[in-house]
Amino acid sequence: MKVTFKDVTLSYDGKKDTLKHLNFQIPDGTLVSLLGPSGGGKTTTLNLISGLLPATSGHIYFGDEDVTKKDALARKVGMVFQNYSLYPHLTVRDNIAFPLKMQKVKKAERYKRAEELAKLVHVDDQLDKKPGGLSGGQQQRVAIARALAKSPSLLLLDEPLSNLDARLRIEMRQEIRRIQQETGVTTIFVTHDQDEALHISDNIMVLAQGTIQQFSTPTVLYERPANLFVAKFIGEPVINTLPADALKADLVSSVPASILAQAKTAGIRSEAIVPFDNGQEMVAKIHAGLKQARKYGREATANLAYNGETLLSTEMAGLPASQTDGDFFLTKAGFFLFDEKGALIFGGDAHDE
Amino acid sequence: MAKKISRVLLYLIVALGALTMLIPFLWMISTSLKSGPETIKVPPVWIPQVLRWHNYVEAFHAAPFLRYFVNSVIVTVVTTVGQLLTSILAAFAFARLRFWGKNFLFMIFLGTMMIPGEMLIIPNFVTLSKMSLVNTYGALILPWLASFFTVFTLRQTFQSTPDQIYYAAKMDGASDWKYLWTVLVPMSKSTITAVTVLEVIGSWNSFMWPLIVTNSEKMRTLPVGLQAFTTDAGTQYQLLMAASTFVIIPMVIVYMFLQKYIIAGISKAGLKG
Ligand SMILES: Nc1ncnc2c1ncn2[C@@H]1O[C@H](COP(=O)(O)OP(=O)(O)O)[C@@H](O)[C@H]1O
Ligand SMILES: [Mg+2]
């Protein structure tokens, strides 16, 4: 089901706006991540969608229906909480069947459905256990099955993986993606982990300080960040940033003077600094000192000293170990200039539609 | 080694404690099987010369104990169930609902816990006699249908269940009413069992109030009925003890039955997390 926010604002205390004039549309059948730093308003946004919180102003639509005034009971969305919130006194079977029991579905029928869902999330061998006897990953799966039990047209997950260890997190995010694709349910997934969001989503909404920083596909987010915040938040390792002034002399031939005049900050992805002209479109050739070169398997990284700044590159394979300085190239892909307000003014063109 | 000794010591102390608790009961049973003169013999005898089982038959026929028993059961069951019902609803309101004057009301109720029960006897009696309820089940039951102690205990438990469980239930389509009965109450089983046991025992053993509001034989409860053995001519201890024994037996059975749940509840709470 399509979800639309029209100028939605939320204030907890009537003074400060926690969410400011949100406008967005989540297309039917997609998996969208809400990504942002802690305190950015992700949970608040999710609670507005679920109906646990009423909007202070603005309108929320499910499909074409205005649900702004409806509460959580009436909106009928499925939700998975950060700490799973399973009912400790019920077995896995009864936990999954609980939403159906609330709908007065007959026992045989709801148990049949619970068993189907348990199969879908791979906990069908745990049906008679209580949640206390399950591992974190299993509880997570049960929580997802329970949220899917009433066949919601919308599934909300609030940082569902943050309590799991690293390996399980990767496994579970693939599971969530699989389940979403098998059921086709429109899913909104909250996370503060950019890697998780990049791997799982059709679209990512970056939320910080109560406003949408950017809402687009993972590729666009990475290759054409709308502002400095997004550029820094997305990508591992973190993008190199330096004052544009430090770089201007090397950019005059490739960047129009009018843009250069406004540029405040330059952002260079670590894979955009290469030691050889490899035929890609380049924006600059820079001379830099080479320090701390390291090799990890196939990857070779190095810190470059340039005009008093340090730049990290991950493309340093093939350089002789003895080299102490040299000329390096900056590829156009992965090179950005931002103005005083942090807005993107140069770079990311390859993905202009 | 030191650990072993302290363990033995611990068991000894516990055993001693248990024995001390048991002595009055053993004395009761022993006395219930004695002859009249044996009960007041000095030094006291523990094992009667002849075990007079007939004392039980005599005691049972000395007063309409069957009637008292039925009365006690009715009063205990209705009081306990009624009090639990009102307390669960009130505790939920105080723990979860938002309404005008909630905290003020709660403070007032809390204040009523400071009033000693004895002070309530006369006003309650006057109220009930104005309602013409003296000498009825109504008088025995009505004043005990609300207990703020129970409300308070349950509120604490209800409040300690995570908000997220409540929200999860909401998302699953449970109304407040459904949440209360299908999630919160089962989750609070051990607390509810504990207050139930307290209430059942309190109600069963209650003496003062039934004595005051009943004067007909038909409305008496078991503890009041035990008075039958105390007359102007003195007390027939062997019969009194025989009757006392069969009065407490139902409580012993109830306790043995519920003990399993109480211990299960406590150990579960301890292992959680
Ligand atoms: N119930 C609440 N009452 C008041 N302020 C809140 C409440 N919940 C969250 N906030 C505030 O709203 C902001 C956004 O919080 P939240 O939506 O939980 O962020 P996120 O989920 O992105 O970490 C934070 O500054 C937080 O302190
Ligand atoms: Mg949050």
Side-chain angles (χ1 to χ4, degrees):
Chain A
M1 188 170 52
K2 188 172 76 182
V3 177
T4 312
F5 268 44
K6 283 218 173 108
D7 210 30
V8 173
T9 293
L10 181 111
S11 172
Y12 280 108
D13 54 9
K15 292 180 211 124
K16 202 177 126 281
D17 288 345
T18 300
L19 294 177
K20 297 157 197 144
H21 305 284
L22 294 195
N23 282 289
F24 63 81
Q25 193 168 82
I26 291 168
D28 185 29
T30 58
L31 195 159
V32 170
S33 288
L34 295 187
L35 174 66
S38 182
K42 304 181 297 291
T43 299
T44 308
T45 307
L46 212 61
N47 286 345
L48 282 173
I49 299 173
S50 68
L52 288 174
L53 258 181
T56 309
S57 68
H59 290 273
I60 298 168
Y61 299 87
F62 284 1
D64 296 323
E65 187 194 358
D66 186 341
V67 295
T68 317
K69 294 275 177 303
K70 292 193 166 173
D71 66 5
L73 223 58
R75 290 197 200 177
K76 301 197 165 88
V77 305
M79 182 147 174
V80 175
F81 293 83
Q82 184 167 351
N83 55 9
Y84 322 138
S85 297
L86 298 174
Y87 308 118
H89 62 293
L90 298 179
T91 60
V92 167
R93 180 184 277 103
D94 282 314
N95 260 284
I96 301 176
F98 186 83
L100 298 173
K101 189 176 173 193
M102 291 301 110
Q103 292 180 352
K104 303 204 164 62
V105 174
K106 288 214 181 62
K107 196 166 196 165
E109 205 174 313
R110 62 176 193 254
Y111 279 172
K112 191 166 153 264
R113 173 102 179 111
E115 273 151 37
E116 282 166 19
L117 284 163
K119 264 206 195 85
L120 175 73
V121 300
H122 302 327
V123 288
D124 40 332
D125 50 345
Q126 312 287 333
L127 279 164
D128 295 309
K129 285 194 192 161
K130 297 262 175 83
L134 302 183
S135 71
Q138 288 168 329
Q139 291 190 29
Q140 184 62 69
R141 289 164 191 268
V142 175
I144 294 172
R146 183 181 65 178
L148 290 170
K150 55 186 170 183
S151 309
S153 37
L154 198 56
L155 177 64
L156 311 176
L157 304 113
D158 191 357
E159 309 216 11
L161 308 182
S162 57
N163 289 347
L164 304 179
D165 60 52
R167 184 179 286 266
L168 202 55
R169 213 147 58 210
I170 292 174
E171 187 190 316
M172 278 308 294
R173 78 183 183 207
Q174 285 161 352
E175 280 293 286
I176 290 174
R177 187 57 169 160
R178 171 185 68 81
I179 293 161
Q180 191 268 332
Q181 279 170 342
E182 274 178 34
T183 56
V185 61
T186 310
T187 302
I188 302 173
F189 179 94
V190 167
T191 177
H192 61 256
D193 180 343
Q194 54 96 25
D195 190 49
E196 208 163 276
L198 289 175
H199 277 89
I200 200 174
S201 328
D202 293 312
N203 286 296
I204 298 176
M205 182 189 305
V206 182
L207 258 183
Q209 284 149 10
T211 55
I212 298 174
Q213 304 294 320
Q214 190 167 2
F215 185 20
S216 55
T217 63
T219 315
V220 170
L221 219 53
Y222 186 78
E223 297 182 353
R224 187 175 165 62
N227 58 41
L228 186 57
F229 176 86
V230 175
K232 282 163 104 169
F233 200 77
I234 304 287
E236 175 62 38
V238 175
I239 192 168
N240 295 295
T241 53
L242 66 167
D245 287 341
L247 204 61
K248 267 180 184 162
D250 284 322
L251 291 174
V252 283
S253 60
S254 53
V255 181
S258 60
I259 290 179
L260 219 46
Q262 298 171 50
K264 175 90 192 311
T265 314
I268 311 167
R269 296 240 181 255
S270 54
E271 71 274 19
I273 307 172
V274 295
F276 310 107
D277 188 340
N278 58 8
Q280 274 182 280
E281 193 181 347
M282 300 297 172
V283 285
K285 185 166 96 175
I286 59 172
H287 189 83
L290 190 60
K291 48 180 195 181
Q292 288 183 30
R294 285 176 304 261
K295 255 178 116 88
Y296 310 103
R298 284 184 294 122
E299 197 181 86
T301 72
N303 284 335
L304 307 185
Y306 173 73
N307 283 357
E309 304 287 333
T310 302
L311 303 175
L312 174 72
S313 167
T314 50
E315 305 298 314
M316 291 295 145
L319 277 190
S322 57
Q323 193 171 337
T324 55
D325 67 334
D327 285 338
F328 300 93
F329 297 87
L330 305 183
T331 65
K332 188 145 191 288
F335 178 85
F336 314 102
L337 289 173
F338 303 95
D339 68 9
E340 212 166 324
K341 291 203 185 85
L344 182 73
I345 52 172
F346 181 84
D349 306 341
H351 288 275
D352 269 355
E353 298 39 22
Chain B
M1 191 61 200
K3 215 168 164 185
K4 214 169 183 176
I5 291 176
S6 73
R7 211 171 170 75
V8 169
L9 217 68
L10 186 78
Y11 277 115
L12 256 167
I13 293 169
V14 171
L16 216 69
L19 199 68
T20 321
M21 296 293 181
L22 268 176
I23 283 176
F25 289 96
L26 296 176
W27 184 246
M28 173 179 79
I29 291 166
S30 146
T31 306
S32 72
L33 297 170
K34 291 175 186 168
S35 65
E38 262 177 331
T39 62
I40 47 172
K41 206 162 162 189
V42 184
V45 280
W46 273 95
I47 315 276
Q49 250 161 16
V50 192
L51 297 180
R52 294 172 177 264
W53 295 104
H54 192 72
N55 285 348
Y56 281 81
V57 181
E58 206 174 315
F60 190 77
H61 289 296
F65 275 108
L66 206 59
R67 176 79 205 192
Y68 298 163
F69 179 80
V70 170
N71 287 345
S72 273
V73 168
I74 289 174
V75 170
T76 300
V77 168
V78 177
T79 304
T80 305
V81 171
Q83 189 186 99
L84 266 183
L85 222 59
T86 59
S87 299
I88 286 173
L89 294 174
F92 180 69
F94 281 125
R96 178 59 67 184
L97 301 183
R98 291 187 192 183
F99 54 91
W100 189 84
K102 174 166 122 175
N103 289 333
F104 179 69
L105 206 61
F106 191 74
M107 291 319 279
I108 292 200
F109 281 145
L110 208 57
T112 63
M113 284 175 80
M114 312 285 176
I115 302 171
E118 288 77 4
M119 264 181 65
L120 297 174
I121 289 178
I122 293 171
N124 274 348
F125 183 81
V126 172
T127 311
L128 287 167
S129 61
K130 286 223 172 95
M131 294 165 81
S132 335
L133 284 176
V134 171
N135 240 342
T136 65
Y137 286 128
L140 290 168
I141 291 166
L142 212 54
W144 313 109
L145 285 183
S147 153
F148 192 70
F149 171 76
T150 311
V151 173
F152 185 77
T153 313
L154 288 175
R155 185 195 86 127
Q156 298 307 97
T157 306
F158 288 176
Q159 253 180 355
S160 67
T161 54
D163 285 356
Q164 298 247 310
I165 296 266
Y166 175 66
Y167 294 133
K170 269 278 144 76
M171 299 304 304
D172 287 343
S175 57
D176 277 352
W177 180 256
K178 277 276 173 64
Y179 165 72
L180 174 61
W181 296 108
T182 57
V183 178
L184 195 54
V185 165
M187 271 179 72
S188 313
K189 203 166 64 188
S190 40
T191 310
I192 290 176
T193 309
V195 296
T196 305
V197 170
L198 283 180
E199 185 46 34
V200 165
I201 293 175
S203 189
W204 187 264
N205 290 346
S206 160
F207 174 74
M208 185 70 113
W209 184 252
L211 180 67
I212 292 169
V213 295
T214 59
N215 49 33
S216 87
E217 192 95 301
K218 267 170 50 191
M219 294 314 297
R220 294 247 149 113
T221 55
L222 284 171
V224 179
L226 291 179
Q227 278 186 305
F229 303 104
T230 308
T231 61
D232 296 341
T235 302
Q236 294 169 284
Y237 286 110
Q238 72 283 19
L239 298 186
L240 177 60
M241 290 302 130
S244 298
T245 305
F246 61 67
V247 165
I248 69 158
I249 278 175
M251 281 305 97
V252 173
I253 291 171
V254 165
Y255 181 77
M256 288 201 305
F257 177 68
L258 287 177
Q259 190 187 33
K260 195 174 89 191
Y261 292 91
I262 297 168
I263 290 172
I266 291 167
S267 53
K268 201 172 99 197
L271 286 174
K272 211 165 37 186

